[in-house]
């Protein structure tokens, strides 16, 4: 059995606090498909100039390199300054084998979804955040039985992609493999793998997990 946790964290205590002050309308979403050594962030809701100014003003950001620009959002490779609270945040959340499934920030708050091997591991991660003074709000905790014990709603392709990602360290920080490399391992395109992940995350978090075994935080 593993445990899925949804947490809400204030940017002021964790990551990109100044960036949100400069660009309050921005939405940041972790996208780990480009670089295996640096996190990549999609930025939506603001123009290119505003996003660049926000990153430049944030003392926790050392470098923000624009990689992709679409009509609705921008993709940046981000290097955080040594000792930044952002780096410590991932250490606190993902120590002891935690896997980051999703991270999205809007209105000055981060919403993260993390998978842990059990509730004790989740409790240890939560305690680390509290001890560091992070006002962590644990919104939902779900225990998930092994695949042999329930009928999964994931497609075989989605399950294959997630299992390969776990095996090759894709969810680790820093990543053990990039999305391009993982796609090559699976013999599919980068775009196809990205779509499988998005649909799998939606199924796990929004469809399958919420109705099953939902409990109050840390009961």
């Amino acid at each position: 059995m593993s445990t899925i946790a949804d947490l809400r964290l204030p940017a002021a205590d964790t990551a990109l606090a100044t960036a949100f002050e400069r660009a309050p309308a921005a939405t940041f979403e972790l996208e780990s498909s480009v670089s295996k050594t640096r996190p990549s962030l999609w930025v939506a809701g603001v123009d290119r100039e505003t996003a660049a100014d926000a990153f430049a003003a944030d003392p926790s950001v050392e470098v923000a390199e624009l990689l992709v620009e679409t009509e609705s959002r921008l993709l940046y490779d981000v290097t955080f300054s040594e000792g930044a609270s952002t780096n410590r945040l991932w250490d606190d959340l993902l120590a002891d084998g935690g896997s980051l499934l999703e991270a999205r920030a809007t209105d000055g708050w981060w919403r993260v979804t993390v998978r842990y091997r059990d509730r004790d591991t989740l409790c240890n991660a939560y305690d680390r955040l509290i001890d560091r003074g992070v006002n962590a709000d644990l919104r939902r905790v779900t225990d998930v039985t092994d695949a042999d014990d329930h009928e999964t709603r994931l497609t075989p392709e989605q399950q294959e992609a997630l299992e390969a990602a776990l095996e090759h360290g894709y969810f680790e920080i820093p990543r053990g493999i990039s999305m391009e490399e993982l796609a090559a391992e699976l013999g599919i395109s980068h775009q196809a793998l990205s779509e499988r992940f998005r649909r799998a995350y939606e199924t796990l978090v929004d469809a399958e997990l919420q109705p099953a075994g939902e409990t109050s935080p840390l009961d």
Side-chain angles (χ1 to χ4, degrees):
M1 177 180 291
S2 60
T3 297
I4 303 290
D6 284 346
L7 299 103
R8 188 168 178 258
L9 310 169
D13 295 343
T14 53
L16 300 180
T18 303
F20 270 114
E21 291 177 2
R22 293 298 183 94
T27 295
F28 298 90
E29 183 176 0
L30 185 68
E31 167 60 89
S32 46
S33 63
V34 176
S35 172
K36 67 178 181 180
T37 58
R38 293 190 290 172
S40 299
L41 291 171
W42 283 106
V43 183
V46 295
D47 58 28
R48 177 176 178 175
E49 182 178 355
T50 301
D53 289 345
F55 280 128
D58 197 305
S60 70
V61 176
E62 183 174 326
V63 177
E65 179 185 357
L66 180 63
L67 301 176
V68 177
E69 182 174 7
T70 72
E71 292 183 0
S72 59
R73 56 183 188 163
L74 309 158
L75 180 63
Y76 285 86
D77 247 4
V78 179
T79 299
F80 289 100
S81 304
E82 185 175 354
S85 59
T86 305
N87 298 325
R88 178 69 182 276
L89 170 64
W90 303 134
D91 291 341
D92 289 340
L93 280 173
L94 304 181
D96 304 322
S99 296
L100 183 65
L101 300 181
E102 187 175 56
R104 180 183 176 86
T106 187
D107 295 329
W109 289 86
W110 283 91
R111 175 74 176 264
V112 299
T113 301
V114 187
R115 178 173 181 163
Y116 297 98
R117 64 173 177 265
D118 52 37
R119 284 205 169 207
D120 287 341
T121 309
L122 162 60
C123 289
N124 291 338
Y126 183 81
D127 288 344
R128 284 192 294 270
L129 292 173
I130 297 301
D131 290 344
R132 194 159 63 86
V134 176
N135 184 23
D137 180 11
L138 188 56
R139 308 301 297 271
R140 185 175 64 190
V141 178
T142 307
D143 292 326
V144 187
T145 57
D146 294 335
D148 292 341
D149 295 331
H150 78 292
E151 182 180 355
T152 180
R153 298 181 189 178
L154 296 173
T155 67
E157 292 81 8
Q158 291 167 1
Q159 187 154 343
E160 177 191 33
L162 291 177
E163 289 174 352
L166 286 170
E167 178 183 353
H168 292 285
Y170 178 77
F171 295 120
E172 297 175 3
I173 301 291
R175 302 198 176 275
I177 191 171
S178 69
M179 184 174 283
E180 289 88 347
E181 293 166 335
L182 185 59
E185 288 281 340
L186 294 171
I188 60 177
S189 68
H190 167 280
Q191 291 80 7
L193 181 57
S194 179
E195 184 63 22
R196 285 186 191 182
F197 278 159
R198 287 185 180 278
R199 291 185 180 276
Y201 296 160
E202 181 179 1
T203 297
L204 287 171
V205 177
D206 296 329
E208 182 173 341
L209 301 183
Q210 186 171 4
E214 185 173 335
T215 62
S216 59
L218 300 183
D219 281 349

